[in-house]
Amino acid sequence: MKIQENLRETARKLLADGEASLVIGYAPGSEVSRVVPAFISREDEVDRLVWNPLCINNLAKYLLDYRHEPGKVAVVVKGCDSRAINRLLQDNQITREKVIILGIPCPGLINPDLVAARLDPGAQITVAAVSEQDFSLQTEEETFTFTRDEALLKKCRDCEQHTPVIADFMLGEEIPPNDPADPFVAVKTLEELPVEERSAYWDKQFSRCLRCYACRNVCPACTCRECVFDQAEPCWVAKANNLSENTAFHLIRAFHVAGRCVDCGECDRVCPVNIPLSLLNRKILKDIKDLFNVPTPGTSLEELPPLGAFTKSDPDEFM
């Protein structure tokens, strides 16, 4: 809980000194397994801020809602989220002088579904701890332990950066990068299938899509003022919910964020029917890495997205 104390202390000071007009962090949700974004503008609200292994949401995109408001906005970011900050800065969607980045080194997050299955929904987490072996969540009544093997969130199993790549305040001790598992194992497995089976796999996934646009709305790479999917004229993709239109929607979106997707996994998190959208985005991420030998977008503020810049050494076999 030392990080949580540091977070509250830093947020309180930023608001008291007038350095920030708003702090975006996490607060307890309506159930013990859920943590929700919190928008803190007063010192007496600071104690609502929490940090525990259920703080999954990437908060970076909320900065877009306040970019034209007066004052600075402080935002809490984990390692994966911090890549989105760099991407928003590179796209001039936000300006550096308007943002205060509160970095939290993250050792990995817990699957909220497992927490919901074991803890009383009305319980409150009083102490949370993470070790190399397990997660420990203490409530008013009991302490619950989950092994990392069973409970580590899927996207954290091949984490690239535990420590944020950009921060004004680092609220915990830096966690050195480990040797992550190959993030493209699932992509390679799918690539090995015959074309017909690959097509059938995605047909099955896309046929379940509700076209709720949650994946688009949460994505920090989706920042267009007017989205093509909202346009009536020209109508690039019809509103009809069927396999053809759903496939067009997902493929257009995947190529639209190609080279800009920071692999934060938010599209997977918010999909109400559990379509593995990050698998689609990782396929393109893998191809771009193979072609251009570049890191995951947003890893470095100086590393421009490969599809938004060019050099004379770029592969040009298509010319």
Side-chain angles (χ1 to χ4, degrees):
M1 288 289 182
K2 189 171 186 303
I3 290 178
Q4 180 173 289
E5 294 167 4
N6 290 344
L7 169 60
R8 291 178 178 178
E9 182 181 340
T10 304
R12 187 174 286 108
K13 188 171 189 311
L14 289 172
L15 292 172
D17 295 347
E19 292 186 47
S21 57
L22 182 74
V23 177
I24 306 176
Y26 300 97
S30 56
E31 297 183 358
V32 67
S33 61
R34 302 293 172 189
V35 166
V36 297
F39 303 85
I40 306 298
S41 58
R42 302 198 313 263
E43 292 177 64
D44 61 359
E45 296 177 322
V46 163
D47 287 341
R48 289 180 57 214
L49 292 170
V50 299
W51 169 253
N52 63 45
L54 289 160
C55 296
I56 299 173
N57 306 44
N58 182 349
L59 305 176
K61 191 167 184 181
Y62 290 110
L63 292 172
L64 300 179
D65 296 335
Y66 299 93
R67 58 185 153 173
H68 300 306
E69 299 292 327
K72 294 184 179 182
V73 175
V75 62
V76 174
V77 295
K78 307 180 293 291
C80 50
D81 307 336
S82 66
R83 294 194 294 266
I85 297 286
N86 276 344
R87 284 297 305 119
L88 291 172
L89 289 169
Q90 288 174 329
D91 282 349
N92 295 319
Q93 293 295 327
I94 57 175
T95 55
R96 188 66 182 90
E97 58 270 20
K98 287 274 291 181
V99 179
I100 300 173
I101 305 165
L102 308 179
I104 294 185
C106 172
L109 303 170
I110 192 170
N111 184 338
D113 293 336
L114 294 182
V115 176
R118 289 183 56 186
L119 275 67
D120 184 289
Q124 289 191 354
I125 296 173
T126 55
V127 178
V130 183
S131 72
E132 292 184 359
Q133 289 76 38
D134 53 42
F135 296 94
S136 175
L137 301 179
Q138 183 177 329
T139 68
E140 305 93 328
E141 304 294 333
E142 189 177 353
T143 298
F144 297 84
T145 301
F146 302 81
T147 67
R148 287 180 70 90
D149 281 346
E150 67 169 331
L152 186 64
L153 203 63
K154 182 181 175 184
K155 74 170 187 175
C156 300
R157 294 181 185 274
D158 42 33
C159 175
E160 281 189 61
Q161 278 115 10
H162 296 293
T163 301
V165 295
I166 183 171
D168 295 304
F169 296 89
M170 198 64 78
L171 303 179
E173 294 183 7
E174 295 189 12
I175 303 175
N178 53 14
D179 188 13
D182 183 355
F184 302 117
V185 169
V187 173
K188 293 173 182 174
T189 301
L190 200 56
E191 285 177 336
E192 291 173 356
L193 296 177
V195 172
E196 295 77 11
E197 291 186 33
R198 269 184 278 158
S199 177
Y201 174 84
W202 286 114
D203 284 354
K204 183 179 178 181
Q205 301 295 342
F206 294 154
S207 64
R208 298 186 293 115
C209 177
L210 305 175
R211 296 285 291 285
C212 65
Y213 296 156
C215 54
R216 177 199 65 175
N217 295 345
V218 79
C219 177
C222 277
T223 55
C224 295
R225 291 182 182 177
E226 183 177 9
C227 177
V228 294
F229 303 123
D230 292 333
Q231 290 179 334
E233 186 67 36
C235 181
W236 296 101
V237 179
K239 300 295 183 185
N241 188 329
N242 56 48
L243 177 59
S244 174
E245 301 296 342
N246 293 354
T247 300
F249 165 70
H250 285 291
L251 293 185
I252 289 173
R253 222 188 74 76
F255 280 104
H256 183 52
V257 302
R260 300 185 300 118
C261 166
V262 299
D263 197 27
C264 66
E266 283 290 90
C267 48
D268 275 1
R269 181 182 67 82
V270 300
C271 181
V273 292
N274 298 319
I275 297 174
L277 294 168
S278 65
L279 181 59
L280 184 62
N281 292 324
R282 278 190 173 183
K283 161 61 179 168
I284 296 178
L285 180 62
K286 173 179 174 293
D287 288 350
I288 289 176
K289 288 193 175 208
D290 290 343
L291 277 170
F292 298 101
N293 189 29
V294 292
T296 299
T299 300
S300 167
L301 189 57
E302 287 70 38
E303 181 83 34
L304 296 176
L307 302 186
F310 72 93
T311 69
K312 292 181 179 178
S313 61
D314 283 350
D316 61 352
E317 64 272 17
F318 54 89
M319 296 292 284

